[in-house]
Amino acid sequence: MTQPFHATGVSIDTRTLQPGDLFVALSTDSGDGHAHVAAAMAKGAAGALVHRQHDMPEEAPLIVVGDTLVGLTALGAAARERFSGSVIAVTGSVGKTTTKEMLRTVLSATGPTTAAVASYNNHWGVPLTLARTPPDADFCVVEIGMNHAGEIAPLSRLAGPDVAVITAVEPAHIGHLGSLEAIADEKASIAQGILKGGTLVIPSDGPMAPRLRAAAGDLRLHTFGVANLLQIHEDPQGSDVVAEIAGVQRRFRIGAPGRHMAMNALAALTAAAAIGADLEAGAQALAGFAPLGGRGTRRAILGGAATLLDESYNASTASVRAALAVLKLTPARRRIAVLGDMLELGDHSRAEHERLAEALRGSADLLYCCGPWMKFLYDAVAADQRGAHAPDSLALGPLVERDLRPGDAILVKGSLGSRMRVIVDRLCAAGSGAG
Ligand SMILES: Nc1ncnc2c1ncn2[C@@H]1O[C@H](COP(=O)(O)OP(=O)(O)OP(=O)(O)O)[C@@H](O)[C@H]1O
Ligand SMILES: [Mg+2]
Protein backbone atom coordinates (compact mmCIF):
# COMPACT_ATOMS: atom_id res chain seq x y z
CA MET A 1 0.00 0.00 0.00
CA THR A 2 1.30 3.42 -0.95
CA GLN A 3 1.65 5.78 2.01
CA PRO A 4 0.45 9.39 1.65
CA PHE A 5 3.30 11.69 0.58
CA HIS A 6 3.85 15.41 0.17
CA ALA A 7 5.45 16.84 -3.00
CA THR A 8 6.91 20.33 -3.28
CA GLY A 9 7.24 20.46 -7.07
CA VAL A 10 6.47 18.64 -10.30
CA SER A 11 9.00 17.18 -12.72
CA ILE A 12 8.91 15.20 -15.95
CA ASP A 13 12.66 14.89 -16.40
CA THR A 14 15.09 13.23 -14.00
CA ARG A 15 17.93 15.44 -15.28
CA THR A 16 16.30 18.54 -13.77
CA LEU A 17 14.30 16.87 -10.98
CA GLN A 18 14.60 18.49 -7.55
CA PRO A 19 14.33 16.53 -4.29
CA GLY A 20 10.69 16.59 -3.16
CA ASP A 21 9.26 16.74 -6.70
CA LEU A 22 6.43 14.54 -7.91
CA PHE A 23 7.85 12.75 -10.95
CA VAL A 24 5.33 12.38 -13.76
CA ALA A 25 6.20 9.46 -16.06
CA LEU A 26 5.11 10.83 -19.43
CA SER A 27 5.39 8.97 -22.69
CA THR A 28 6.57 11.49 -25.29
CA ASP A 29 8.46 11.43 -28.57
CA SER A 30 11.69 11.48 -26.61
CA GLY A 31 10.91 8.33 -24.64
CA ASP A 32 8.87 6.68 -21.91
CA GLY A 33 9.22 8.23 -18.46
CA HIS A 34 8.28 4.92 -16.86
CA ALA A 35 11.82 3.77 -17.57
CA HIS A 36 13.12 6.55 -15.30
CA VAL A 37 10.90 6.16 -12.23
CA ALA A 38 13.56 4.34 -10.22
CA ALA A 39 16.14 7.00 -11.12
CA ALA A 40 13.69 9.73 -10.10
CA MET A 41 13.18 8.07 -6.70
CA ALA A 42 16.94 7.74 -6.29
CA LYS A 43 17.30 11.49 -6.94
CA GLY A 44 14.85 12.27 -4.14
CA ALA A 45 11.45 12.40 -5.84
CA ALA A 46 8.65 12.43 -3.25
CA GLY A 47 6.62 10.09 -5.43
CA ALA A 48 5.67 9.34 -9.00
CA LEU A 49 2.57 9.57 -11.19
CA VAL A 50 2.53 6.49 -13.43
CA HIS A 51 0.20 4.44 -15.55
CA ARG A 52 2.18 1.24 -15.14
CA GLN A 53 3.67 -0.17 -11.95
CA HIS A 54 6.72 -1.09 -14.07
CA ASP A 55 9.28 -2.81 -11.88
CA MET A 56 8.71 -0.61 -8.82
CA PRO A 57 8.06 -2.30 -5.45
CA GLU A 58 4.45 -2.53 -4.13
CA GLU A 59 5.05 0.01 -1.37
CA ALA A 60 6.71 2.64 -3.59
CA PRO A 61 5.04 6.08 -3.42
CA LEU A 62 3.22 5.80 -6.74
CA ILE A 63 -0.05 7.29 -7.89
CA VAL A 64 -1.31 4.94 -10.59
CA VAL A 65 -3.63 6.56 -13.14
CA GLY A 66 -5.09 5.42 -16.46
CA ASP A 67 -2.91 7.82 -18.45
CA THR A 68 -0.20 10.08 -17.02
CA LEU A 69 -0.88 12.87 -19.55
CA VAL A 70 -4.51 12.99 -18.44
CA GLY A 71 -3.30 12.89 -14.82
CA LEU A 72 -0.89 15.80 -15.40
CA THR A 73 -3.65 17.76 -17.13
CA ALA A 74 -5.94 17.22 -14.12
CA LEU A 75 -3.13 18.35 -11.83
CA GLY A 76 -2.73 21.49 -13.95
CA ALA A 77 -6.46 22.18 -13.82
CA ALA A 78 -6.50 21.75 -10.03
CA ALA A 79 -3.52 24.08 -9.63
CA ARG A 80 -5.24 26.67 -11.83
CA GLU A 81 -8.37 26.40 -9.70
CA ARG A 82 -6.55 27.07 -6.43
CA PHE A 83 -4.46 29.90 -7.91
CA SER A 84 -5.80 33.32 -7.00
CA GLY A 85 -3.16 35.39 -8.82
CA SER A 86 -3.34 36.45 -12.47
CA VAL A 87 -2.60 34.10 -15.36
CA ILE A 88 -1.13 35.57 -18.54
CA ALA A 89 -1.02 33.39 -21.65
CA VAL A 90 1.25 34.08 -24.62
CA THR A 91 0.85 32.72 -28.13
CA GLY A 92 1.93 33.89 -31.61
CA SER A 93 3.94 32.83 -34.65
CA VAL A 94 7.19 34.27 -33.32
CA GLY A 95 8.34 35.82 -30.08
CA LYS A 96 6.33 33.68 -27.63
CA THR A 97 9.21 32.61 -25.43
CA THR A 98 10.90 36.01 -25.60
CA THR A 99 7.66 37.79 -24.65
CA LYS A 100 6.98 35.21 -21.93
CA GLU A 101 10.43 35.89 -20.46
CA MET A 102 9.95 39.65 -20.79
CA LEU A 103 6.69 39.25 -18.87
CA ARG A 104 8.60 37.37 -16.18
CA THR A 105 11.02 40.31 -15.97
CA VAL A 106 8.30 42.98 -16.06
CA LEU A 107 5.89 41.31 -13.59
CA SER A 108 8.64 40.33 -11.15
CA ALA A 109 9.03 44.05 -10.47
CA THR A 110 5.50 43.96 -9.02
CA GLY A 111 5.30 40.60 -7.25
CA PRO A 112 6.30 36.92 -7.20
CA THR A 113 6.06 35.57 -10.75
CA THR A 114 6.28 32.06 -12.12
CA ALA A 115 6.58 31.26 -15.83
CA ALA A 116 6.92 28.32 -18.17
CA VAL A 117 10.36 26.75 -18.42
CA ALA A 118 12.02 27.16 -21.84
CA SER A 119 9.41 26.73 -24.64
CA TYR A 120 7.17 24.34 -22.66
CA ASN A 121 4.07 25.30 -24.61
CA ASN A 122 2.28 22.13 -25.75
CA HIS A 123 -0.18 19.54 -24.44
CA TRP A 124 2.18 18.60 -21.60
CA GLY A 125 4.08 21.89 -21.27
CA VAL A 126 1.03 23.98 -20.42
CA PRO A 127 -0.37 21.65 -17.72
CA LEU A 128 3.13 21.23 -16.30
CA THR A 129 3.54 25.00 -15.96
CA LEU A 130 0.15 25.27 -14.25
CA ALA A 131 0.82 22.31 -11.96
CA ARG A 132 4.06 23.95 -10.83
CA THR A 133 2.49 27.30 -9.99
CA PRO A 134 2.99 28.11 -6.30
CA PRO A 135 -0.40 29.13 -4.85
CA ASP A 136 1.12 32.23 -3.27
CA ALA A 137 2.59 33.68 -6.50
CA ASP A 138 1.00 36.85 -7.87
CA PHE A 139 1.50 36.03 -11.56
CA CYS A 140 1.80 32.93 -13.71
CA VAL A 141 2.93 33.27 -17.34
CA VAL A 142 2.16 30.37 -19.68
CA GLU A 143 3.29 29.93 -23.27
CA ILE A 144 0.85 28.28 -25.66
CA GLY A 145 2.13 26.96 -28.99
CA MET A 146 0.79 24.87 -31.80
CA ASN A 147 1.77 22.79 -34.77
CA HIS A 148 -1.71 21.94 -35.98
CA ALA A 149 -5.13 23.59 -35.97
CA GLY A 150 -7.23 23.06 -32.85
CA GLU A 151 -4.37 22.86 -30.37
CA ILE A 152 -4.53 26.32 -28.81
CA ALA A 153 -8.16 26.61 -27.62
CA PRO A 154 -8.14 23.60 -25.23
CA LEU A 155 -4.81 24.67 -23.73
CA SER A 156 -6.14 28.19 -23.25
CA ARG A 157 -9.27 26.81 -21.55
CA LEU A 158 -7.05 24.83 -19.22
CA ALA A 159 -4.95 27.89 -18.38
CA GLY A 160 -7.96 30.20 -17.97
CA PRO A 161 -5.92 33.36 -18.56
CA ASP A 162 -6.94 36.76 -17.25
CA VAL A 163 -4.96 38.19 -20.15
CA ALA A 164 -3.82 36.55 -23.37
CA VAL A 165 -1.29 38.01 -25.78
CA ILE A 166 -0.89 37.24 -29.48
CA THR A 167 2.65 38.37 -30.28
CA ALA A 168 2.48 38.14 -34.09
CA VAL A 169 0.81 36.36 -36.99
CA GLU A 170 3.40 35.25 -39.51
CA PRO A 171 3.84 32.35 -41.92
CA ALA A 172 5.54 29.95 -39.46
CA HIS A 173 4.28 26.32 -39.53
CA ILE A 174 2.19 27.44 -42.53
CA GLY A 175 2.82 24.02 -44.04
CA HIS A 176 0.37 22.56 -41.52
CA LEU A 177 -2.25 25.31 -41.64
CA GLY A 178 -2.23 26.33 -45.29
CA SER A 179 -2.85 30.09 -45.11
CA LEU A 180 -2.13 33.19 -43.06
CA GLU A 181 -5.87 33.47 -42.36
CA ALA A 182 -5.89 29.97 -40.89
CA ILE A 183 -2.88 30.87 -38.74
CA ALA A 184 -4.61 34.03 -37.51
CA ASP A 185 -7.78 32.09 -36.64
CA GLU A 186 -5.79 29.50 -34.74
CA LYS A 187 -3.92 32.15 -32.72
CA ALA A 188 -7.18 34.02 -32.12
CA SER A 189 -8.71 30.88 -30.63
CA ILE A 190 -6.72 31.66 -27.49
CA ALA A 191 -9.59 34.07 -26.74
CA GLN A 192 -11.84 31.07 -26.04
CA GLY A 193 -10.05 30.39 -22.76
CA ILE A 194 -9.84 33.95 -21.44
CA LEU A 195 -11.89 34.43 -18.28
CA LYS A 196 -15.01 36.59 -18.39
CA GLY A 197 -14.04 40.25 -18.19
CA GLY A 198 -10.49 39.41 -19.25
CA THR A 199 -8.32 41.03 -21.89
CA LEU A 200 -7.00 40.05 -25.30
CA VAL A 201 -3.82 41.80 -26.43
CA ILE A 202 -3.12 41.80 -30.17
CA PRO A 203 -0.75 43.46 -32.65
CA SER A 204 -2.40 46.36 -34.44
CA ASP A 205 -0.18 46.09 -37.52
CA GLY A 206 -0.39 43.65 -40.40
CA PRO A 207 -3.11 42.33 -42.64
CA MET A 208 -4.53 39.96 -40.01
CA ALA A 209 -5.26 42.65 -37.39
CA PRO A 210 -8.99 42.96 -38.25
CA ARG A 211 -9.35 39.18 -38.01
CA LEU A 212 -7.75 39.13 -34.57
CA ARG A 213 -9.81 42.10 -33.44
CA ALA A 214 -13.01 40.28 -34.36
CA ALA A 215 -12.05 37.37 -32.11
CA ALA A 216 -12.18 39.50 -28.96
CA GLY A 217 -16.00 39.40 -28.76
CA ASP A 218 -17.07 40.69 -25.32
CA LEU A 219 -13.54 40.65 -23.96
CA ARG A 220 -11.54 43.79 -23.39
CA LEU A 221 -9.16 44.45 -26.27
CA HIS A 222 -5.76 46.14 -26.10
CA THR A 223 -3.42 46.58 -29.04
CA PHE A 224 0.28 47.29 -29.47
CA GLY A 225 2.17 48.20 -32.60
CA VAL A 226 4.17 50.72 -34.57
CA ALA A 227 1.78 53.48 -33.51
CA ASN A 228 2.77 52.93 -29.86
CA LEU A 229 6.49 53.05 -30.59
CA LEU A 230 7.01 56.81 -30.48
CA GLN A 231 10.80 56.75 -30.68
CA ILE A 232 13.44 54.08 -30.97
CA HIS A 233 17.19 54.41 -30.96
CA GLU A 234 18.80 51.10 -31.83
CA ASP A 235 22.35 50.03 -31.06
CA PRO A 236 24.06 46.63 -31.27
CA GLN A 237 23.36 45.83 -27.61
CA GLY A 238 19.77 47.05 -27.30
CA SER A 239 17.35 49.90 -27.88
CA ASP A 240 16.31 53.09 -26.14
CA VAL A 241 12.60 53.46 -26.54
CA VAL A 242 9.83 55.93 -25.91
CA ALA A 243 6.52 54.14 -26.09
CA GLU A 244 2.91 54.73 -25.22
CA ILE A 245 1.60 51.95 -23.05
CA ALA A 246 -2.01 52.04 -21.85
CA GLY A 247 -2.20 55.75 -22.61
CA VAL A 248 0.99 56.70 -20.75
CA GLN A 249 4.31 57.61 -22.35
CA ARG A 250 7.26 55.69 -20.97
CA ARG A 251 10.96 55.93 -21.68
CA PHE A 252 13.03 52.82 -21.13
CA ARG A 253 15.86 50.66 -22.43
CA ILE A 254 15.64 47.07 -23.67
CA GLY A 255 18.82 45.05 -23.26
CA ALA A 256 18.24 43.05 -26.46
CA PRO A 257 18.77 44.60 -29.91
CA GLY A 258 16.30 44.98 -32.77
CA ARG A 259 12.87 46.44 -33.40
CA HIS A 260 11.36 42.99 -32.98
CA MET A 261 12.52 42.98 -29.37
CA ALA A 262 10.94 46.40 -28.86
CA MET A 263 7.66 45.00 -30.23
CA ASN A 264 7.83 42.06 -27.85
CA ALA A 265 8.46 44.51 -25.00
CA LEU A 266 5.40 46.51 -26.01
CA ALA A 267 3.33 43.32 -26.06
CA ALA A 268 4.57 42.36 -22.59
CA LEU A 269 4.00 45.81 -21.10
CA THR A 270 0.54 46.10 -22.66
CA ALA A 271 -0.42 42.76 -21.09
CA ALA A 272 1.10 43.80 -17.76
CA ALA A 273 -0.94 47.02 -17.85
CA ALA A 274 -4.14 45.00 -18.22
CA ILE A 275 -3.57 43.33 -14.85
CA GLY A 276 -2.52 46.46 -13.02
CA ALA A 277 1.21 45.72 -12.68
CA ASP A 278 3.69 48.48 -11.83
CA LEU A 279 4.59 49.52 -15.37
CA GLU A 280 7.28 52.03 -14.52
CA ALA A 281 9.28 49.50 -12.49
CA GLY A 282 8.52 46.80 -15.06
CA ALA A 283 9.67 48.89 -18.01
CA GLN A 284 12.92 49.86 -16.26
CA ALA A 285 13.63 46.18 -15.54
CA LEU A 286 13.79 45.48 -19.30
CA ALA A 287 17.21 47.16 -19.41
CA GLY A 288 18.51 43.91 -17.90
CA PHE A 289 16.78 41.70 -20.45
CA ALA A 290 19.30 39.87 -22.68
CA PRO A 291 18.49 37.76 -25.77
CA LEU A 292 17.66 34.17 -24.83
CA GLY A 293 19.96 31.30 -25.84
CA GLY A 294 20.23 30.89 -29.62
CA ARG A 295 17.97 33.91 -30.23
CA GLY A 296 20.59 36.56 -30.86
CA THR A 297 23.22 35.66 -28.28
CA ARG A 298 26.36 37.63 -29.13
CA ARG A 299 29.68 35.83 -28.88
CA ALA A 300 33.24 36.94 -29.55
CA ILE A 301 35.10 34.52 -31.82
CA LEU A 302 38.57 34.45 -33.42
CA GLY A 303 39.98 35.52 -30.08
CA GLY A 304 37.75 38.59 -30.04
CA ALA A 305 38.54 39.66 -33.61
CA ALA A 306 35.11 38.67 -34.98
CA THR A 307 31.53 38.61 -33.68
CA LEU A 308 29.03 35.77 -33.92
CA LEU A 309 25.28 36.19 -33.51
CA ASP A 310 23.92 32.83 -32.40
CA GLU A 311 20.40 32.52 -33.80
CA SER A 312 20.55 28.73 -34.10
CA TYR A 313 17.42 28.15 -31.98
CA ASN A 314 14.92 28.50 -34.82
CA ALA A 315 13.99 30.33 -38.01
CA SER A 316 10.99 31.60 -39.92
CA THR A 317 10.86 34.38 -42.51
CA ALA A 318 9.95 36.99 -39.87
CA SER A 319 12.70 35.97 -37.48
CA VAL A 320 15.37 35.76 -40.20
CA ARG A 321 14.45 39.30 -41.27
CA ALA A 322 14.65 40.46 -37.65
CA ALA A 323 18.05 38.80 -37.21
CA LEU A 324 19.37 40.32 -40.46
CA ALA A 325 18.35 43.76 -39.18
CA VAL A 326 20.42 43.14 -36.05
CA LEU A 327 23.35 41.95 -38.19
CA LYS A 328 23.11 45.25 -40.05
CA LEU A 329 23.41 47.12 -36.73
CA THR A 330 26.55 45.21 -35.80
CA PRO A 331 29.81 47.04 -36.51
CA ALA A 332 31.94 44.92 -38.87
CA ARG A 333 34.24 44.97 -41.86
CA ARG A 334 32.18 42.23 -43.50
CA ARG A 335 28.72 40.97 -42.56
CA ILE A 336 28.04 37.32 -43.25
CA ALA A 337 24.71 35.49 -43.06
CA VAL A 338 24.99 31.74 -42.49
CA LEU A 339 21.52 30.31 -42.97
CA GLY A 340 19.96 26.85 -42.79
CA ASP A 341 16.58 25.78 -44.14
CA MET A 342 13.39 27.16 -42.61
CA LEU A 343 11.24 24.07 -42.15
CA GLU A 344 7.50 23.33 -41.95
CA LEU A 345 6.58 25.84 -44.67
CA GLY A 346 4.94 23.28 -46.97
CA ASP A 347 3.94 24.65 -50.37
CA HIS A 348 5.26 28.07 -49.34
CA SER A 349 8.82 26.83 -48.81
CA ARG A 350 10.39 27.99 -52.04
CA ALA A 351 8.73 31.43 -52.08
CA GLU A 352 9.46 32.09 -48.39
CA HIS A 353 13.15 31.32 -48.92
CA GLU A 354 13.43 33.39 -52.08
CA ARG A 355 11.67 36.30 -50.38
CA LEU A 356 14.69 36.73 -48.08
CA ALA A 357 16.89 37.91 -50.97
CA GLU A 358 15.69 41.47 -50.58
CA ALA A 359 16.39 41.62 -46.84
CA LEU A 360 19.82 40.12 -47.46
CA ARG A 361 20.69 42.74 -50.03
CA GLY A 362 20.75 45.51 -47.46
CA SER A 363 22.18 43.63 -44.50
CA ALA A 364 24.79 41.03 -45.50
CA ASP A 365 27.83 41.12 -47.75
CA LEU A 366 27.93 37.35 -48.09
CA LEU A 367 25.54 34.42 -47.82
CA TYR A 368 26.63 30.95 -46.76
CA CYS A 369 23.75 28.53 -46.60
CA CYS A 370 22.75 24.90 -46.48
CA GLY A 371 19.81 22.65 -47.22
CA PRO A 372 17.64 22.18 -50.32
CA TRP A 373 15.35 25.16 -49.64
CA MET A 374 18.20 27.58 -49.03
CA LYS A 375 19.53 26.69 -52.47
CA PHE A 376 16.63 28.73 -53.88
CA LEU A 377 17.73 31.74 -51.86
CA TYR A 378 21.36 31.18 -52.84
CA ASP A 379 20.35 31.29 -56.50
CA ALA A 380 18.19 34.37 -55.92
CA VAL A 381 20.92 36.62 -54.46
CA ALA A 382 23.48 38.60 -56.46
CA ALA A 383 26.50 36.58 -57.63
CA ASP A 384 28.90 38.65 -55.51
CA GLN A 385 26.89 37.83 -52.36
CA ARG A 386 27.35 34.09 -52.80
CA GLY A 387 29.79 32.58 -50.31
CA ALA A 388 28.91 28.89 -50.51
CA HIS A 389 26.02 26.46 -50.46
CA ALA A 390 26.28 22.98 -48.92
CA PRO A 391 23.82 20.11 -48.45
CA ASP A 392 23.76 20.42 -44.65
CA SER A 393 25.26 22.24 -41.67
CA LEU A 394 27.99 19.63 -41.16
CA ALA A 395 29.27 20.24 -44.67
CA LEU A 396 28.85 24.03 -44.50
CA GLY A 397 30.75 24.55 -41.22
CA PRO A 398 34.27 24.01 -42.62
CA LEU A 399 33.55 26.31 -45.59
CA VAL A 400 32.52 29.16 -43.27
CA GLU A 401 35.46 28.56 -40.97
CA ARG A 402 37.88 28.57 -43.92
CA ASP A 403 36.69 31.99 -45.08
CA LEU A 404 36.40 33.62 -41.64
CA ARG A 405 38.42 36.83 -41.22
CA PRO A 406 39.10 39.30 -38.41
CA GLY A 407 36.51 42.07 -38.51
CA ASP A 408 33.67 39.77 -39.60
CA ALA A 409 30.22 39.75 -38.04
CA ILE A 410 28.51 36.41 -38.62
CA LEU A 411 24.87 35.57 -38.15
CA VAL A 412 24.11 31.84 -37.85
CA LYS A 413 20.43 30.97 -38.14
CA GLY A 414 18.10 28.17 -39.24
CA SER A 415 15.25 25.99 -38.06
CA LEU A 416 16.18 23.74 -35.17
CA GLY A 417 16.00 20.75 -37.55
CA SER A 418 18.66 22.36 -39.76
CA ARG A 419 21.11 21.90 -36.87
CA MET A 420 22.95 25.20 -37.29
CA ARG A 421 24.23 24.80 -33.73
CA VAL A 422 26.94 22.59 -35.25
CA ILE A 423 28.32 25.65 -37.04
CA VAL A 424 28.06 27.87 -33.96
CA ASP A 425 30.05 25.33 -31.93
CA ARG A 426 32.63 24.99 -34.67
CA LEU A 427 33.17 28.74 -35.06
CA CYS A 428 33.39 29.23 -31.29
CA ALA A 429 36.03 26.50 -31.07
CA ALA A 430 37.94 28.08 -33.96
CA GLY A 431 37.98 31.29 -31.91
CA SER A 432 39.57 29.66 -28.88
CA GLY A 433 42.20 28.00 -31.10
CA ALA A 434 43.16 31.32 -32.67
CA GLY A 435 43.57 32.70 -29.11
N1 LIG B 1 8.48 39.82 -32.67
C1 LIG B 1 9.36 39.12 -33.37
N2 LIG B 1 9.44 39.25 -34.71
C2 LIG B 1 10.35 38.54 -35.42
N3 LIG B 1 11.21 37.68 -34.88
C3 LIG B 1 11.17 37.50 -33.55
C4 LIG B 1 10.26 38.21 -32.72
N4 LIG B 1 10.47 37.84 -31.44
C5 LIG B 1 11.45 36.93 -31.45
N5 LIG B 1 11.89 36.72 -32.71
C6 LIG B 1 12.90 35.75 -33.15
O1 LIG B 1 12.22 34.53 -33.45
C7 LIG B 1 12.98 33.40 -33.01
C8 LIG B 1 12.17 32.62 -31.99
O2 LIG B 1 11.95 33.45 -30.84
P1 LIG B 1 11.12 32.93 -29.61
O3 LIG B 1 11.75 31.70 -29.10
O4 LIG B 1 10.92 34.05 -28.68
O5 LIG B 1 9.75 32.59 -30.35
P2 LIG B 1 8.71 31.39 -30.11
O6 LIG B 1 7.48 31.87 -30.73
O7 LIG B 1 8.69 31.01 -28.69
O8 LIG B 1 9.34 30.18 -30.95
P3 LIG B 1 8.95 28.60 -30.83
O9 LIG B 1 7.62 28.46 -31.49
O10 LIG B 1 10.05 27.95 -31.61
O11 LIG B 1 8.95 28.22 -29.37
C9 LIG B 1 14.26 33.96 -32.48
O12 LIG B 1 15.19 33.99 -33.53
C10 LIG B 1 13.91 35.37 -32.07
O13 LIG B 1 15.00 36.24 -32.03
MG1 LIG C 1 8.91 29.22 -27.69
Side-chain angles (χ1 to χ4, degrees):
M1 253 292 278
T2 299
Q3 295 300 307
F5 63 86
H6 178 77
T8 48
V10 185
S11 168
I12 57 160
D13 188 334
T14 52
R15 288 166 298 184
T16 50
L17 182 134
Q18 297 298 311
D21 279 353
L22 170 72
F23 177 71
V24 180
L26 283 185
S27 301
T28 66
D29 295 344
S30 48
D32 184 357
H34 288 88
H36 303 285
V37 174
M41 301 313 296
K43 269 195 93 178
L49 187 72
V50 298
H51 54 232
R52 265 184 284 110
Q53 187 85 17
H54 211 61
D55 49 7
M56 294 300 292
E58 267 297 286
E59 67 285 0
L62 301 180
I63 303 170
V64 186
V65 293
D67 180 324
T68 47
L69 178 60
V70 177
L72 177 64
T73 305
L75 208 56
R80 174 61 186 104
E81 193 122 316
R82 77 172 174 179
F83 184 58
S84 56
S86 300
V87 173
I88 303 92
V90 182
T91 193
S93 305
V94 279
K96 292 182 291 297
T97 300
T98 302
T99 303
K100 181 257 298 177
E101 289 300 323
M102 283 183 172
L103 273 162
R104 190 203 293 271
T105 300
V106 166
L107 296 173
S108 293
T110 298
T113 302
T114 176
V117 168
S119 269
Y120 285 7
N121 65 22
N122 61 4
H123 57 287
W124 56 259
V126 174
L128 179 63
T129 302
L130 295 169
R132 283 172 164 173
T133 302
D136 55 353
D138 284 345
F139 306 109
C140 167
V141 191
V142 300
E143 176 175 334
I144 302 185
M146 60 127 196
N147 285 310
H148 300 92
E151 288 174 351
I152 290 180
L155 294 177
S156 181
R157 278 192 215 103
L158 182 70
D162 298 278
V163 183
V165 189
I166 300 173
T167 57
V169 176
E170 296 283 349
H173 305 300
I174 196 166
H176 299 305
L177 281 134
S179 70
L180 204 56
E181 285 76 9
I183 294 174
D185 291 347
E186 177 62 18
K187 306 298 177 203
S189 73
I190 199 167
Q192 294 175 28
I194 300 176
L195 300 185
K196 207 166 174 327
T199 305
L200 178 66
V201 176
I202 60 166
S204 54
D205 307 309
M208 293 300 120
R211 226 176 162 96
L212 298 181
R213 204 176 270 278
D218 295 338
L219 297 166
R220 287 194 282 174
L221 182 72
H222 288 291
T223 63
F224 66 93
V226 172
N228 301 94
L229 191 57
L230 307 177
Q231 277 178 39
I232 179 164
H233 180 267
E234 296 182 62
D235 63 64
Q237 318 294 337
S239 303
D240 294 306
V241 162
V242 180
E244 188 190 313
I245 316 282
V248 180
Q249 268 195 32
R250 301 198 183 265
R251 183 180 293 271
F252 56 97
R253 180 166 173 82
I254 304 157
R259 279 180 84 89
H260 62 304
M261 290 295 176
M263 281 303 156
N264 293 338
L266 260 53
L269 289 168
T270 306
I275 41 172
D278 179 342
L279 285 202
E280 187 48 30
Q284 298 315 317
L286 288 172
F289 186 90
L292 306 172
R295 298 166 180 86
T297 326
R298 183 176 295 263
R299 301 165 76 160
I301 55 169
L302 275 191
T307 303
L308 182 140
L309 297 176
D310 176 3
E311 280 271 0
S312 58
Y313 168 71
N314 220 340
S316 59
T317 324
S319 72
V320 174
R321 279 223 194 84
L324 285 170
V326 173
L327 178 64
K328 192 175 174 179
L329 281 176
T330 307
R333 246 176 257 152
R334 293 192 311 173
R335 296 189 181 82
I336 302 177
V338 181
L339 303 179
D341 277 351
M342 304 183 294
L343 304 175
E344 299 183 45
L345 295 174
D347 294 344
H348 299 252
S349 295
R350 181 176 174 166
E352 288 296 311
H353 283 78
E354 284 175 345
R355 229 145 66 85
L356 290 172
E358 197 189 324
L360 265 167
R361 204 169 303 134
S363 50
D365 300 296
L366 284 170
L367 170 66
Y368 287 76
C369 57
C370 58
W373 295 114
M374 276 295 165
K375 183 70 168 67
F376 289 109
L377 175 61
Y378 193 68
D379 291 339
V381 300
D384 65 357
Q385 271 190 304
R386 290 184 199 138
H389 177 270
D392 56 32
S393 64
L394 265 181
L396 185 63
L399 306 181
V400 178
E401 187 183 343
R402 181 196 67 196
D403 294 351
L404 195 64
R405 287 195 221 143
D408 286 346
I410 300 155
L411 163 72
V412 184
K413 190 165 184 69
S415 282
L416 196 60
S418 297
R419 302 215 308 266
M420 300 305 281
R421 188 59 205 277
V422 171
I423 299 182
V424 170
D425 291 345
R426 184 177 186 114
L427 296 182
C428 288
S432 61

